[in-house]
Amino acid sequence: MKRLFMVLSAVSIFGVLVGEVYADRVFRYSTENAPLVTVTATSPDTVTIDRNGMEEVIPVDDVKQIVYDGEPSQFGTAREMMSNGQNEDARDLLRNVKDNILNSEFQKQERDYLLAMACVRIAYSGGDVSLRDAAGMLNTYLKKHTRSFHTYELTLLLGNIAVQMKNWKVAEGAFSTLAKSENMGYKARAYDGIGKVCIALGRGNDALKAYTEMRRIVTDSIEGELQAELLVACQLGQARADVANKNYEEAEKKCEEVLKKISRTDTVMNANAYNTLGSALEKQRGKAKDAMLAYMHTFLLYNTDPLTRFEALEKLIALAEKEGDTTRATQLRGYMHQ
């Protein structure tokens, strides 16, 4: 009996150890700790975890990444590849991860998410995936995985890609869907997207209304660093609306104010600010070279975000052609495929 007890105890201890080694890890923005947990449910708004028998519900905007129990090594490899710009390699690797080696729906969602993101990055770098195909993958994901915690992130991305493609119907649909979210951060970003569509369609006053609503949401419902970030995004949106309303000098002033506020290490916000500044400058007589310099800041210094890099590059090519500098335009086109 004593020997049986020892064996059972050893099995019990071994089981605990195995559970600790192979449990899920949820990486969060609010803390550097990522303790071993079990993800029990996901939704567009939350991730629910079990930690030592205690349930916790985490808002999606606090979830940076989830590494699942027993997920294939290809997931980690693909994440690292994408962080190093090896998007085609990540895509090809993930295509070979079949359902029969995935042990949960969560892992299938993550495989499809990583694959879609790799293809989006390839599209923005001018590779062998078109923006249309990338948008199609996002749309397929959203229809297939309706309970995914990536839903709002990918809906926002779909809207932004649709803006890039000038598919205003898809863009408005994505942003309008997101505006119904209970997540205030994504709701605010939805109005930023609605503002972009209005600007593109020449509805400057409607864009200003969208950014007024965005500011209200951010001021009333969001706090801390996220509030500061979204208020800056709102100011840049208002600057873009000023450009649409031909208030170029006011737009330039807003952009200069933003550039004084933000850290030089915030590459995405700097890229957005310089792109918006460029759009204000290129509309003013005699400031084409200043506009090119603004876009060059994004292209050369703040180029980690594929969307803003792509936008800056398109603008630089158009300005070079307008100035009659066909050599530079040709050189710049070469970067569309890098």
Side-chain angles (χ1 to χ4, degrees), residues 69-273:
D69 174 13
E71 71 174 33
S73 61
Q74 290 95 321
F75 284 13
T77 303
R79 293 182 188 113
E80 186 174 353
M81 283 176 171
M82 284 192 281
S83 70
N84 293 327
Q86 299 169 271
N87 300 307
E88 289 85 354
D89 292 337
R91 184 259 322 265
D92 295 343
L93 182 68
L94 291 162
R95 278 177 171 172
N96 291 317
V97 178
K98 306 302 181 184
D99 284 357
N100 62 352
I101 68 168
L102 302 176
N103 61 26
S104 70
E105 284 301 315
F106 296 139
Q107 290 187 18
K108 292 174 185 177
Q109 287 180 18
E110 190 67 9
R111 186 267 318 276
D112 292 349
Y113 166 76
L114 292 170
L115 181 56
M117 291 301 292
C119 289
V120 167
R121 290 171 179 234
I122 293 168
Y124 273 122
S125 64
D128 61 2
V129 177
S130 68
L131 283 175
R132 182 181 298 277
D133 288 342
M137 290 189 71
L138 295 179
N139 197 42
T140 297
Y141 182 96
L142 292 168
K143 289 180 178 178
K144 181 179 179 182
H145 302 299
T146 57
R147 301 295 297 169
S148 170
F149 75 95
H150 294 298
T151 294
Y152 294 153
E153 174 192 359
L154 297 189
T155 301
L156 181 64
L157 183 55
L158 177 60
N160 285 328
I161 289 177
V163 168
Q164 200 74 38
M165 294 170 56
K166 298 180 173 55
N167 189 330
W168 311 122
K169 183 177 180 180
V170 171
E172 284 188 302
F175 295 136
S176 296
T177 297
L178 203 57
K180 298 172 185 176
S181 162
E182 295 300 317
N183 183 291
M184 292 297 108
Y186 280 107
K187 195 180 194 76
R189 292 184 180 96
Y191 279 97
D192 186 19
I194 291 169
K196 289 177 184 177
V197 173
C198 291
I199 289 167
L201 296 176
R203 293 165 17 209
N205 289 332
D206 289 339
L208 285 174
K209 291 177 183 178
Y211 286 113
T212 298
E213 179 62 13
M214 179 183 179
R215 180 173 289 276
R216 184 194 66 77
I217 293 168
V218 173
T219 302
D220 293 350
S221 305
I222 300 173
E223 299 177 347
E225 292 183 6
L226 181 59
Q227 183 189 65
E229 174 191 332
L230 290 175
L231 284 174
V232 168
C234 186
Q235 187 171 357
L236 288 177
Q238 290 172 323
R240 290 192 295 271
D242 285 335
V243 172
N245 288 328
K246 300 182 180 181
N247 297 324
Y248 306 127
E249 291 182 1
E250 181 62 28
E252 185 180 347
K253 179 182 175 182
K254 284 185 172 75
C255 292
E256 296 289 359
E257 287 174 356
V258 166
L259 287 167
K260 289 177 183 177
K261 288 180 191 175
I262 59 179
S263 168
R264 291 185 180 181
T265 61
D266 190 339
T267 56
V268 175
M269 194 60 74
N270 272 278
N272 277 308

Side-chain angles (χ1 to χ4, degrees), residues 32-50:
E32 294 183 0
N33 296 325
L36 297 166
V37 300
T38 298
V39 175
T40 58
T42 63
S43 76
D45 290 286
T46 60
V47 171
T48 304
I49 63 171
D50 183 301

Side-chain angles (χ1 to χ4, degrees), residues 313-330:
L313 194 50
E314 279 193 324
K315 291 285 190 177
L316 284 167
I317 293 169
L319 284 168
E321 289 176 338
K322 188 176 181 180
E323 293 291 304
D325 192 343
T326 55
T327 300
R328 175 173 289 186
T330 300

